[in-house]
Amino acid sequence: MRHTWRWFGPIDRVSVRDAAQAGAQGIVSALHHVPTGIAWTAQEIARRQAEVRAGGLEWEVVESIPVSESIKTQTGEWRAHIAAWQDSLRRLAEAGIFTVCYNFMPVLDWTRTDLRWEAADGARAMRFDLIDFVAFDLFLLARPGAAQDYPTALVDEADRRFAAFDDGKKTALARNIGAGLPGSSDGYSLAELREALARYAAIDADRLRRHLKDFLAQVVPVAEELGMRLCAHGDDPPWPLLGLPRILSTEADYRDMLDGVDSPANGVTFCTGSLGARPDNDLPAMARRLAPRIHFVHLRNVRRETDGFPCSFFEDQHLEGGTDMVAVIAAILAEERRRKAEGRADHQIFMRPDHGQEILDDLTRGAQPGYPAIGRLKGLAELRGIEHTLSHSVFGMA
């Protein structure tokens, strides 16, 4: 695997040099300052490349070119936004960057109720508390009809929980759930979130799937012509939220997307953390079956705290939690070996240690939630150890 590291640009308190010292071979980044729907220019791309090179590495994967809400809802200037997306692909290819991760989650990207929850050993991690989330939905957001989406027992427990919230807890919960994309300063106030949800009142899962395929039908041929790989990230968490449809939560969801626009350029970001929050997702089996279309891998682990789904969970250490990370990495290495035997230039699959617990000096650095220096260094070292062992003892690679 190609070991990469997410970097949010000059605002990131974890530097490119830090990433290189941690063992990263390349950088995953994006132009977070460019407004959604605007094409990335050659000048801005070159500026980010220079910033990365100054730290000793290269910008190798884009995460992400945002897909606008207009594209997802097919309203407003959605056609112009798709054209801008296509132009961004062209400029990236000219700069020598050929792998682009994106997501199609409506309104909210990954959603957590706590961005720095304290574990028993003092480490801090991101957490999704189902009862807190339901309390937010029912009593802070006050979404019409929300109570119908949850079992009565869960509604009653959320009511009891909310009664104990002070103003600080309410403010923090609303801020955490309404947070914008990682690396951006965007976010939603309660009023803005209600307005954004209203845009999806007539959009169910089937319609959102059609909109995804319409988007892919326009951008995948451009990527294919340029020799690029597009990688769809799954829903996080992988179930409907706030009445919104989520359409990349299971293997069947991914298969529908891949079959809908059948091209090697239409691929998967296989995120073990996002998909791992659902107990019915068999991640090693999914990795084996989706392997030919996996072009980017996010390796992290979550620990489910309640049965079924939706559920409460937290971001565990990379080799803890519910995912058999050894089996997943074995599946990725087997796919790399298959591609190499075919003589493919893209036989090496990009990976990055996704998220990480804040430990040691991370606790005072104040980095982007989920993206500490030492927690990710630890995770990358552990994942590299698994890869090294499998490569030599199972696959016999030099």
Side-chain angles (χ1 to χ4, degrees):
M1 297 182 290
R2 181 72 175 172
H3 307 146
T4 61
W5 185 277
R6 193 170 190 183
W7 185 62
F8 294 102
I11 66 167
D12 201 327
R13 297 190 181 185
V14 181
S15 69
V16 173
R17 193 167 296 278
D18 291 337
Q21 292 176 4
Q25 299 165 319
I27 288 295
V28 177
S29 194
L31 303 181
H32 300 288
H33 60 286
V34 177
T36 299
I38 302 299
W40 293 5
T41 65
Q43 292 77 14
E44 290 294 335
I45 293 168
R47 181 178 292 111
R48 179 52 49 84
Q49 286 181 307
E51 291 166 346
V52 173
R53 286 170 182 156
L57 296 174
E58 290 286 337
W59 183 13
E60 298 185 357
V61 179
V62 171
E63 186 177 349
S64 306
I65 306 177
V67 180
S68 71
E69 296 303 311
S70 293
I71 291 174
K72 295 169 192 170
T73 58
Q74 292 193 357
T75 58
E77 298 183 347
W78 68 279
R79 291 183 177 87
H81 289 184
I82 289 179
W85 226 87
Q86 294 169 324
D87 285 343
S88 296
L89 292 181
R90 295 184 182 101
R91 300 295 84 77
L92 286 165
E94 289 169 359
I97 303 171
F98 295 98
T99 302
V100 176
C101 171
Y102 69 96
N103 78 72
F104 215 78
M105 286 178 267
V107 182
L108 298 175
D109 195 86
W110 52 259
T111 303
R112 300 291 185 269
T113 57
D114 197 326
L115 303 183
R116 287 189 163 92
W117 171 77
E118 187 170 340
D121 63 358
R124 295 192 179 274
M126 295 199 294
R127 184 169 182 259
F128 181 91
D129 184 296
L130 180 59
I131 297 172
D132 278 3
F133 184 82
V134 174
F136 165 83
D137 193 8
L138 293 174
F139 308 118
L140 283 176
L141 185 63
R143 179 172 60 90
Q148 307 305 313
D149 290 345
Y150 306 109
T152 301
L154 189 56
V155 171
D156 291 343
E157 179 61 26
D159 192 1
R160 289 190 291 271
R161 178 80 63 87
F162 186 75
F165 286 177
D166 59 21
D167 289 343
K169 172 66 175 181
K170 294 175 185 177
T171 298
L173 185 60
R175 182 180 62 247
N176 292 343
I177 293 175
L181 287 167
S184 76
S185 58
D186 297 333
Y188 291 99
S189 68
L190 289 174
E192 290 167 340
L193 183 53
R194 293 185 191 106
E195 182 179 349
L197 294 176
R199 298 179 64 185
Y200 284 84
I203 298 177
D204 61 9
D206 287 339
R207 184 172 173 186
L208 189 61
R209 287 189 187 96
R210 291 197 299 272
H211 291 182
L212 171 58
K213 292 171 188 175
D214 289 343
F215 166 70
L216 291 173
Q218 296 297 313
V219 299
V220 167
V222 175
E224 193 172 60
E225 179 182 346
L226 297 169
M228 301 184 78
R229 295 288 183 262
L230 305 183
C231 316
H233 190 287
D235 302 323
D236 187 6
W239 50 73
L241 295 178
L242 304 179
L244 294 166
R246 307 276 260 190
I247 58 171
L248 288 175
S249 297
T250 66
E251 182 177 355
D253 290 339
Y254 267 116
R255 185 53 59 195
D256 180 72
M257 182 201 79
L258 297 174
D259 292 345
V261 180
D262 191 6
S263 165
N266 181 23
V268 174
T269 296
F270 193 78
C271 179
T272 57
S274 299
L275 296 169
R278 279 180 70 124
D280 57 340
N281 281 337
D282 182 341
L283 296 194
M286 289 174 67
R288 289 190 293 270
R289 290 190 289 262
L290 294 172
R293 302 286 277 277
I294 293 175
H295 302 306
F296 191 25
V297 182
H298 290 179
L299 295 177
R300 63 180 169 91
N301 228 319
V302 300
R303 184 173 297 277
R304 296 185 297 272
E305 300 174 84
T306 52
D307 295 330
F309 66 91
C311 65
S312 297
F313 64 87
F314 68 90
E315 308 266 10
D316 209 339
Q317 299 177 62
H318 285 80
L319 302 190
E320 304 297 329
T323 295
D324 184 346
M325 201 63 74
V326 174
V328 170
I329 293 175
I332 299 302
L333 294 180
E335 172 61 16
E336 286 188 321
R337 190 183 188 197
R338 186 191 68 81
R339 294 183 189 186
K340 189 171 184 179
E342 292 180 351
R344 286 175 51 172
D346 67 339
H347 66 270
Q348 194 172 36
I349 296 174
F350 292 102
M351 67 79 82
R352 67 174 179 84
D354 196 14
H355 297 182
Q357 294 189 348
E358 294 181 346
I359 58 176
L360 305 175
D361 291 352
D362 291 330
L363 295 169
T364 58
R365 187 187 290 242
Q368 176 79 26
Y371 292 92
I374 301 172
R376 281 189 291 168
L377 179 154
K378 176 176 179 284
L380 179 57
E382 293 170 339
L383 298 168
R384 290 171 67 192
I386 293 173
E387 179 186 15
H388 184 83
T389 300
L390 290 174
S391 296
H392 288 75
S393 65
V394 178
F395 296 104
M397 300 176 183

Coordinates of all heavy atoms in Angstrom, one line a residue, residues 130-136 138-139 150 152-165:
L130 N -25.8 7.9 20.7 CA -27.1 7.9 20.1 C -28.2 8.6 20.9 O -29.0 9.3 20.3 CB -27.6 6.4 19.9 CG -28.9 6.2 19.2 CD1 -29.0 6.8 17.8 CD2 -29.3 4.7 19.2
I131 N -28.2 8.5 22.2 CA -29.2 9.2 23.0 C -29.0 10.7 22.9 O -30.0 11.5 22.8 CB -29.1 8.7 24.4 CG1 -29.5 7.2 24.5 CG2 -30.1 9.5 25.3 CD1 -29.3 6.6 25.9
D132 N -27.7 11.2 23.0 CA -27.5 12.6 22.8 C -28.0 13.1 21.4 O -28.5 14.2 21.3 CB -26.0 12.9 23.0 CG -25.6 13.0 24.4 OD1 -26.4 12.8 25.3 OD2 -24.4 13.3 24.7
F133 N -27.7 12.3 20.4 CA -28.1 12.7 19.1 C -29.6 12.8 19.0 O -30.2 13.8 18.4 CB -27.6 11.7 18.0 CG -27.9 12.1 16.6 CD1 -27.1 13.0 16.0 CD2 -29.0 11.6 16.0 CE1 -27.4 13.4 14.7 CE2 -29.3 12.0 14.7 CZ -28.5 12.9 14.0
V134 N -30.3 11.8 19.5 CA -31.8 11.9 19.5 C -32.3 13.1 20.3 O -33.3 13.8 19.9 CB -32.4 10.6 20.0 CG1 -33.9 10.7 20.1 CG2 -32.0 9.4 19.1
A135 N -31.7 13.4 21.4 CA -32.1 14.5 22.2 C -31.9 15.8 21.4 O -32.7 16.7 21.4 CB -31.3 14.6 23.5
F136 N -30.8 15.9 20.7 CA -30.5 17.0 19.8 C -31.6 17.2 18.7 O -32.2 18.2 18.5 CB -29.2 16.9 19.1 CG -29.0 17.8 17.9 CD1 -28.6 19.1 18.2 CD2 -29.2 17.4 16.6 CE1 -28.4 20.0 17.1 CE2 -29.1 18.3 15.6 CZ -28.7 19.6 15.8
L138 N -34.7 15.9 18.7 CA -36.0 16.2 19.2 C -36.2 17.5 19.9 O -37.2 18.2 19.7 CB -36.4 15.1 20.2 CG -36.6 13.7 19.7 CD1 -36.7 12.7 20.9 CD2 -37.7 13.6 18.8
F139 N -35.2 18.0 20.6 CA -35.4 19.1 21.5 C -34.6 20.3 21.2 O -35.0 21.4 21.7 CB -35.2 18.6 23.0 CG -35.9 17.4 23.4 CD1 -35.3 16.2 23.7 CD2 -37.3 17.4 23.3 CE1 -36.0 15.1 24.1 CE2 -38.0 16.3 23.7 CZ -37.4 15.1 24.0
Y150 N -37.9 7.2 15.8 CA -37.2 6.5 16.8 C -38.2 5.7 17.7 O -39.3 6.0 17.9 CB -36.5 7.5 17.8 CG -35.5 8.4 17.1 CD1 -35.9 9.8 16.9 CD2 -34.4 8.0 16.5 CE1 -35.0 10.7 16.3 CE2 -33.5 8.9 15.9 CZ -33.8 10.2 15.8 OH -33.0 11.1 15.1
T152 N -40.1 4.3 20.9 CA -40.6 5.1 22.1 C -39.6 5.1 23.2 O -39.4 6.1 23.9 CB -42.0 4.5 22.5 OG1 -42.9 4.6 21.4 CG2 -42.5 5.3 23.7
A153 N -39.0 3.9 23.5 CA -38.1 3.8 24.6 C -36.9 4.8 24.4 O -36.4 5.4 25.4 CB -37.6 2.4 24.8
L154 N -36.4 4.9 23.2 CA -35.3 5.8 22.9 C -35.7 7.2 23.0 O -34.9 8.1 23.6 CB -34.8 5.5 21.5 CG -33.5 6.2 21.1 CD1 -32.3 5.8 22.0 CD2 -33.1 5.8 19.7
V155 N -36.9 7.6 22.6 CA -37.4 8.9 22.8 C -37.5 9.3 24.3 O -37.1 10.4 24.7 CB -38.8 9.1 22.1 CG1 -39.4 10.4 22.5 CG2 -38.7 9.0 20.6
D156 N -38.0 8.3 25.1 CA -38.2 8.6 26.5 C -36.8 8.8 27.2 O -36.6 9.7 28.0 CB -38.9 7.4 27.2 CG -40.4 7.3 26.8 OD1 -40.9 8.3 26.2 OD2 -41.0 6.3 27.0
E157 N -35.8 8.0 26.8 CA -34.5 8.1 27.4 C -33.9 9.4 27.0 O -33.2 10.1 27.8 CB -33.6 6.9 26.9 CG -32.2 7.0 27.4 CD -32.1 6.9 29.0 OE1 -33.0 6.4 29.6 OE2 -31.1 7.4 29.5
A158 N -34.1 9.8 25.7 CA -33.5 11.1 25.2 C -34.2 12.3 26.0 O -33.5 13.3 26.3 CB -33.8 11.3 23.7
D159 N -35.5 12.1 26.3 CA -36.2 13.2 27.1 C -35.5 13.3 28.5 O -35.3 14.4 28.9 CB -37.7 12.8 27.2 CG -38.5 13.9 27.7 OD1 -38.0 15.0 28.0 OD2 -39.7 13.7 27.8
R160 N -35.3 12.2 29.1 CA -34.7 12.2 30.4 C -33.3 12.8 30.4 O -32.8 13.6 31.2 CB -34.6 10.8 31.0 CG -36.0 10.3 31.5 CD -35.8 9.0 32.3 NE -35.4 7.9 31.4 CZ -36.2 7.1 30.8 NH1 -37.5 7.2 30.8 NH2 -35.7 6.1 30.1
R161 N -32.5 12.4 29.3 CA -31.1 12.9 29.2 C -31.1 14.4 29.0 O -30.4 15.2 29.6 CB -30.5 12.2 28.0 CG -29.1 12.6 27.7 CD -28.0 12.0 28.6 NE -27.9 10.6 28.5 CZ -27.2 9.9 27.6 NH1 -26.5 10.6 26.7 NH2 -27.2 8.6 27.6
F162 N -32.0 14.9 28.1 CA -32.0 16.3 27.8 C -32.4 17.2 29.0 O -31.9 18.3 29.1 CB -33.0 16.6 26.6 CG -33.0 18.0 26.1 CD1 -32.0 18.4 25.3 CD2 -34.0 18.9 26.5 CE1 -32.0 19.8 24.9 CE2 -34.0 20.2 26.0 CZ -33.0 20.6 25.2
A163 N -33.2 16.6 29.9 CA -33.7 17.4 31.1 C -32.5 17.7 31.9 O -32.5 18.7 32.7 CB -34.7 16.6 31.8
A164 N -31.4 16.9 31.8 CA -30.2 17.1 32.7 C -29.1 18.0 32.0 O -28.1 18.3 32.6 CB -29.6 15.8 33.0
F165 N -29.4 18.4 30.7 CA -28.4 19.2 30.0 C -28.4 20.6 30.5 O -29.5 21.2 30.7 CB -28.7 19.2 28.5 CG -28.4 18.0 27.7 CD1 -28.8 17.9 26.4 CD2 -27.8 16.9 28.3 CE1 -28.5 16.8 25.6 CE2 -27.6 15.8 27.6 CZ -27.9 15.7 26.2

